[in-house]
């Protein structure tokens, strides 16, 4: 596959604000990348474990054990064609332990051999988030189509530059993703226009709509590709996967 020559292999999905569709994006992007033939690992770095529970899983071992030195292969679960490295309750303790070890995750994932590794991080600038940014080569920023979106993205990009300067000079913004978009409202249209005016090509062309099927899929322990493959949300995440592949190969 041509991806072998690309620079971006690990992608962190980050937004310091919660409720923007970050975990929904991580799960469904993983599912569609896998359907396109790529070997995909999704790492649930959020102690809340929403990516893990959203697949109907309740494992006892996961990211924390990886950081303690256990082999990745013994900790992953198969889920809709991709592998999940789950979150477990012990990950709360890792937040304290990682405060002085920003490169711990990068070291733990050093030998993984997936085409894509997606890092779903907590909605805060915690040691887990910094570890994800230090381990990643690319960042996707999901942004809800609401007021203050512009302000939030600008603040995160400043943080990104700081991480580049101090921890990971190879880190790049892969794209800003507009989520929960309702084209019937003037607000969503205005937010999209503002983001595209200020950030131009950094904003993905794909826009994820508000969609009941997307919201209910985790309650069935499924991705949207399994739950409602013909829904508008499914079509959006398929397009996003195609766009991510294109951007990675241009890197």
């Amino acid at each position: 596959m041509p991806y072998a020559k690309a620079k971006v292999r690990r992608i962190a999905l980050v937004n310091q604000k919660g409720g923007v569709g970050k975990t929904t994006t991580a799960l469904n992007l993983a599912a569609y990348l896998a359907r396109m033939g790529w070997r995909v690992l999704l790492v649930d770095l959020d102690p809340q474990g929403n990516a893990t529970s959203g697949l109907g899983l309740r494992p006892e071992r996961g990211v924390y054990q990886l950081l303690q030195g256990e082999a990745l292969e013994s900790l992953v679960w198969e889920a809709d064609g991709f592998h999940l490295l789950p979150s477990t309750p012990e990950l709360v303790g890792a937040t304290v332990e990682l405060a002085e070890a920003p490169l711990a995750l990068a070291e733990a994932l050093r030998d993984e051999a997936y085409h894509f590794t997606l890092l779903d991080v907590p909605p805060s600038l915690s040691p887990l988030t910094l570890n994800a940014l230090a381990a990643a080569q690319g960042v996707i920023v999901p942004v809800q189509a609401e007021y203050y979106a512009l302000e939030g993205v600008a603040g995160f990009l400043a943080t990104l530059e700081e991480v580049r300067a101090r921890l990971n000079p190879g880190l790049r913004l892969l794209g800003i993703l507009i989520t929960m978009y309702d084209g019937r409202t003037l607000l969503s249209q205005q937010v999209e226009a503002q983001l595209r005016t200020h950030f131009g090509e950094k904003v993905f062309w794909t826009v994820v709509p508000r969609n009941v099927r997307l919201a209910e899929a985790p309650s069935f322990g499924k991705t949207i590709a399994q739950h409602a493959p013909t829904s508008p949300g499914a079509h959006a995440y398929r397009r996003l996967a195609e766009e991510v592949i294109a951007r990675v190969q241009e890197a």
Side-chain angles (χ1 to χ4, degrees), residues 4-174:
K5 296 181 180 179
K7 297 177 182 178
V8 178
R9 186 156 62 94
R10 295 193 200 122
I11 301 171
L13 291 99
V14 186
N15 192 316
Q16 293 162 241
K17 185 179 184 301
V20 298
K22 179 175 53 60
T23 297
T24 298
T25 297
L27 285 169
N28 294 304
L29 178 57
Y32 279 107
L33 288 172
R35 276 166 170 71
M36 293 172 183
W38 305 101
R39 182 170 163 79
V40 180
L41 173 67
L42 172 57
V43 181
D44 187 355
L45 281 170
D46 192 338
Q48 295 182 68
N50 289 338
T52 302
S53 62
L55 291 168
L57 300 175
R58 296 290 188 276
E60 296 181 357
R61 298 160 66 245
V63 176
Y64 184 77
Q65 284 69 31
L66 178 78
L67 295 169
Q68 297 301 307
E70 291 194 31
L72 177 64
E73 295 78 10
S74 68
L75 299 169
V76 295
W77 290 66
E78 180 90 25
D80 195 16
F82 61 91
H83 283 167
L84 173 77
L85 179 59
S87 172
T88 57
E90 296 97 330
L91 200 53
V92 174
T95 301
V96 177
E97 296 170 18
L98 293 175
E100 301 299 324
L103 300 177
L105 183 65
E107 286 295 315
L109 292 174
R110 181 176 50 190
D111 298 325
E112 54 87 5
Y114 291 86
H115 294 122
F116 287 95
T117 296
L118 305 180
L119 307 172
D120 184 30
V121 306
S124 63
L125 196 59
S126 69
L128 284 165
T129 301
L130 289 176
N131 259 261
L133 293 174
Q137 289 99 27
V139 176
I140 293 175
V141 185
V143 179
Q144 187 176 352
E146 64 172 18
Y147 282 122
Y148 304 119
L150 193 67
E151 193 175 302
V153 173
F156 174 73
L157 293 184
T159 299
L160 189 63
E161 287 306 311
E162 209 169 311
V163 172
R164 282 168 53 90
R166 298 187 180 188
L167 290 175
N168 186 359
L171 185 64
R172 61 178 284 246
L173 176 66
L174 197 59

Side-chain angles (χ1 to χ4, degrees), residues 185-234:
T185 69
L186 183 59
L187 173 60
S188 284
Q189 295 171 27
Q190 289 175 336
V191 170
E192 179 181 13
Q194 287 179 340
L195 287 168
R196 294 197 187 281
T197 297
H198 282 80
F199 300 110
E201 293 182 356
K202 292 178 181 178
V203 182
F204 285 106
W205 287 112
T206 300
V207 173
V208 179
R210 283 195 176 275
N211 183 237
V212 172
R213 297 299 190 193
L214 275 176
E216 69 186 15
S219 67
F220 292 91
K222 295 180 178 181
T223 66
I224 193 64
Q226 294 171 307
H227 179 59
T230 61
S231 66

